Amino acid sequence: MPNLAWIAHPDGFIYWYNKRWYEYTGTTLKEMEGWGWQKLHDTKELDNVLKNWKLSLATGDPFEMTFPLKGSNGKFKPFLTRIVPLKDASGKIHHWFGTCTDVSDLSEAKEALSISEERFKATFEHAAVGIAHLDLNGKWLMVNNQLCKIVGYTKEELLKLTFQDITYKPDLELDLKYVNKLQKGRIHSYTIEKRYVKKDKSLVWISLTGSIVKDSNGINKYFIAIIKDITETRKAQEEKQQLELLSRERNELIKISKAKDEFISIASHQLRTPATVVKQYLDLLENGYAGTLSNEQAKFIKIAYNNNERQLHTVNALLKTAQLDAENFTIHRISTDIAALLRGVANESKVSMQIRKQTLHTEGLDKDVKLKIDPVEIKLSINNLLENASKYSHDGKVIYLKLKKLKTKITITVEDKGVGISPENHHRIYEKFARVDNELSDTVTGTGFGLYWVKQIVELHGGSITLKSELHKGSKFIINLPL
Ligand code: ADP
């Protein structure tokens, strides 16, 4: 018999041990007889053993316990001890029969199992990713803390749901397709990106790796899911895509804008040359180089001349804009008497203002201010502001042109008492092609380029342009140029 065995009297006095007992313990019957076996016990366990043994002796119930017993080598090994009462026909106990089975191997296996279970639990609970087991219908069987955090449900809440319940509906079909393949054994695992609906109804992007566990007969048992929150990665990816799209669109726009500028440049050159020639010939006719003109002829030629002038004006504006937009546009600064320049512009504008019976008031044009500017461009800019002031003022109004010298800059103000510009359009007027409708825009011509290039020219000089204007009250454009 491989087990240790012994027999005791009804009162627990052991009077016989088998051979294995003596072999294992290295003791003799003399030492062991009665209650001598106690010296083979671990003192920490002995009280408990005695208590249970005495209880069995008192009640007549069988005894079962695992405790260590010391071997002949002085080392302890765990033994499962079972003691059964042997009774006679009347039910009276006449002997107790005990066996002790060495369960060291079993204990080791149990301990190993409990360590591995503990490790699994720790890995499961503390993992930085969501981990779950699900039954074959998709019901959550086991979920870790991280998964609860990702979806915002508590463990108890989640265990009442299925993965279908919390999957964002448009993403469910894809997932079910893979689940189906897993169940049929066509794949061993799969990884997809999909969305869950969190408890607060917001969406969370996750990466899901799913696999299936089978028993030894190959029957499907449950699913394992590894779930990672990828909201941030998705966000970064989407932002990157958005940026790429924007950059592509921007490049496309730049290309279109370049092509358009080129077209404007070529077209306006082509238009300007014949219009200039027409102007020269009309001049010759008007001045009588082809004979004296009748009143009717002179009137017609005047109309032709005025219209040709308008065309030239538009073409020049187009050309100017195309030049400004060209990458190599530069200003040519020379030391300029700014007051003299403004006096010149004022004189030229007075002529067209007279047609509208408007008067130009000037202030500060007697100052001696020398400034390094591009006189051609600045003259064109002021001229444009004065033209606008006249165009967008009713007949008979006064227009002001003022020059001021401050510590670090000069200011040139062009002010009118005209139709004004409503505040929401103050920024728009500087855009290319921006024409803002007002009560006079139907009666005057314009291209929508003027203020665009005035602003560009002023900024190329390191200056700025500001506007104060109210609808129906008038406008005040102030050009600041650094000294
Ligand atoms: P254009 O006069 O050829 O339309 P501009 O670029 O010079 O183009 O001006 C843009 C718009 O700004 C004009 O269409 C007009 O509505 C408004 N604007 C410019 N100057 C004035 C002004 N002095 N008074 C009122 N509106 C003005």
Side-chain angles (χ1 to χ4, degrees):
M1 180 178 196
N3 294 344
L4 316 189
W6 47 264
I7 303 174
H9 293 305
D11 62 358
F13 183 94
I14 302 178
Y15 66 91
W16 176 86
Y17 291 91
N18 73 348
K19 210 170 135 217
R20 276 290 296 138
W21 178 278
Y22 296 120
E23 277 169 13
Y24 172 68
T25 60
T27 56
T28 60
L29 178 62
K30 212 165 164 237
E31 287 172 79
M32 291 290 108
E33 219 173 17
W35 299 80
W37 47 266
Q38 292 178 44
K39 66 177 190 190
L40 298 176
H41 277 247
D42 182 341
T43 47
K44 279 183 261 148
E45 303 276 339
L46 186 59
D47 281 352
N48 215 6
V49 175
L50 278 171
K51 202 178 91 199
N52 285 330
W53 180 212
K54 280 178 183 163
L55 190 70
S56 285
L57 289 173
T59 59
D61 289 337
F63 170 109
E64 182 174 319
M65 226 185 137
T66 300
F67 48 74
L69 281 179
K70 196 164 29 174
S72 57
N73 58 1
K75 287 190 180 141
F76 285 97
K77 274 186 173 187
F79 282 84
L80 167 66
T81 297
R82 287 199 177 110
I83 313 170
V84 286
L86 304 175
K87 297 175 181 175
D88 62 18
S90 67
K92 205 169 154 248
I93 297 171
H94 54 84
H95 284 106
W96 289 93
F97 181 66
T99 55
C100 306
T101 312
D102 181 354
V103 290
S104 350
D105 286 354
L106 216 68
S107 306
E108 272 164 27
K110 236 165 123 186
E111 202 177 315
L113 191 69
S114 104
I115 290 174
S116 118
E117 254 173 24
E118 229 164 74
R119 279 199 195 131
F120 167 74
K121 239 168 123 186
T123 314
F124 189 79
E125 281 312 336
H126 303 299
V129 290
I131 309 177
H133 289 180
L134 302 100
D135 75 12
L136 297 176
N137 295 318
K139 192 166 179 299
W140 303 99
L141 296 174
M142 221 168 124
V143 294
N144 73 346
N145 292 334
Q146 186 61 18
L147 179 60
C148 294
K149 227 158 113 191
I150 294 174
V151 293
Y153 283 101
T154 63
K155 253 180 205 172
E156 293 70 37
E157 289 167 335
L158 205 51
L159 293 180
K160 286 186 196 131
L161 300 171
T162 62
F163 80 82
Q164 294 91 325
D165 290 331
I166 64 161
T167 296
Y168 183 50
K169 290 290 166 283
D171 299 348
L172 188 58
E173 200 185 320
L174 174 76
D175 201 0
L176 289 176
K177 204 173 87 193
Y178 282 106
V179 166
N180 191 26
K181 283 186 186 175
L182 264 189
Q183 279 181 322
K184 289 188 174 147
R186 293 210 192 114
I187 51 172
H188 297 298
S189 73
Y190 68 95
T191 301
I192 55 166
E193 288 185 0
K194 66 169 202 172
R195 282 159 290 184
Y196 281 144
V197 182
K198 292 172 64 163
K199 193 182 169 190
D200 65 8
K201 300 283 170 260
S202 62
L203 295 180
V204 56
W205 269 105
I206 57 120
S207 153
L208 161 77
T209 299
S211 52
I212 201 161
V213 176
K214 296 170 192 278
D215 67 11
S216 52
N217 299 318
I219 308 290
N220 293 335
K221 286 190 76 183
Y222 59 91
F223 296 113
I224 299 182
I226 310 283
I227 295 141
K228 208 173 143 203
D229 183 346
I230 53 159
T231 313
E232 288 306 313
T233 335
R234 287 288 299 211
K235 225 160 76 195
Q237 254 173 21
E238 273 161 23
E239 272 167 16
K240 199 173 150 225
Q241 278 168 1
Q242 195 71 23
L243 269 179
E244 276 168 7
L245 188 75
L246 278 177
S247 145
R248 266 208 303 277
E249 278 175 0
R250 191 175 158 268
N251 288 343
E252 202 55 34
L253 280 176
I254 290 175
K255 239 163 70 189
I256 293 172
S257 167
K258 266 198 177 145
K260 188 202 67 210
D261 290 345
E262 251 167 54
F263 168 75
I264 292 175
S265 168
I266 293 167
S268 43
H269 268 298
Q270 301 291 342
L271 288 171
R272 199 156 80 138
T273 317
T276 316
V277 178
V278 169
K279 181 183 160 104
Q280 284 162 0
Y281 277 89
L282 288 175
D283 260 342
L284 291 174
L285 278 176
E286 202 182 17
N287 290 318
Y289 283 97
T292 321
L293 300 176
S294 70
N295 282 348
E296 194 85 0
Q297 285 168 334
K299 210 173 108 195
F300 286 178
I301 285 184
K302 187 76 196 151
I303 294 170
Y305 185 89
N306 284 346
N307 279 288
N308 189 56
E309 274 298 288
R310 272 177 59 191
Q311 183 179 335
L312 262 175
H313 183 82
T314 309
V315 171
N316 280 338
L318 278 170
L319 205 58
K320 184 96 230 151
T321 311
Q323 277 173 356
L324 264 177
D325 289 343
E327 273 154 21
N328 53 6
F329 180 83
T330 44
I331 51 169
H332 303 285
R333 290 177 187 260
I334 49 169
S335 176
T336 307
D337 177 345
I338 191 84
L341 180 139
L342 292 183
R343 285 196 298 272
V345 188
N347 271 334
E348 284 166 29
S349 321
K350 267 182 192 159
V351 184
S352 60
M353 287 181 194
Q354 270 161 13
I355 301 170
R356 296 192 177 99
K357 300 187 184 65
Q358 294 161 338
T359 38
L360 179 66
H361 279 206
T362 58
E363 224 179 278
L365 299 199
D366 48 355
K367 288 197 174 62
D368 181 19
V369 191
K370 285 263 187 328
L371 212 60
K372 274 198 123 185
I373 53 161
D374 185 326
V376 179
E377 300 298 339
I378 291 293
K379 194 173 162 189
L380 273 173
S381 303
I382 308 296
N383 193 34
N384 194 276
L385 292 184
L386 284 171
E387 240 179 61
N388 279 351
S390 167
K391 270 191 334 191
Y392 299 116
S393 293
H394 288 286
D395 287 3
K397 293 280 182 185
V398 182
I399 289 151
Y400 302 87
L401 173 64
K402 299 175 193 167
L403 171 66
K404 261 193 199 154
K405 187 181 175 214
L406 304 171
K407 261 191 195 155
T408 55
K409 63 176 184 181
I410 61 146
T411 63
I412 302 166
T413 307
V414 176
E415 190 178 348
D416 63 62
K417 303 292 171 200
V419 295
I421 304 163
S422 58
E424 67 268 23
N425 287 322
H426 282 198
H427 280 289
R428 263 199 63 210
I429 55 168
Y430 298 111
E431 287 166 16
K432 218 191 286 187
F433 303 118
R435 293 212 70 201
V436 177
D437 277 342
N438 59 40
E439 55 188 273
L440 285 175
S441 43
D442 281 347
T443 58
V444 295
T445 53
T447 54
F449 286 137
L451 287 179
Y452 167 73
W453 53 257
V454 169
K455 186 168 185 279
Q456 303 280 319
I457 293 294
V458 169
E459 285 174 358
L460 279 171
H461 279 83
S464 62
I465 180 163
T466 55
L467 166 66
K468 285 180 187 150
S469 180
E470 258 183 80
L471 215 51
H472 310 305
K473 292 212 171 137
S475 310
K476 191 176 185 179
F477 285 92
I478 304 166
I479 289 180
N480 305 285
L481 291 174
L483 274 172

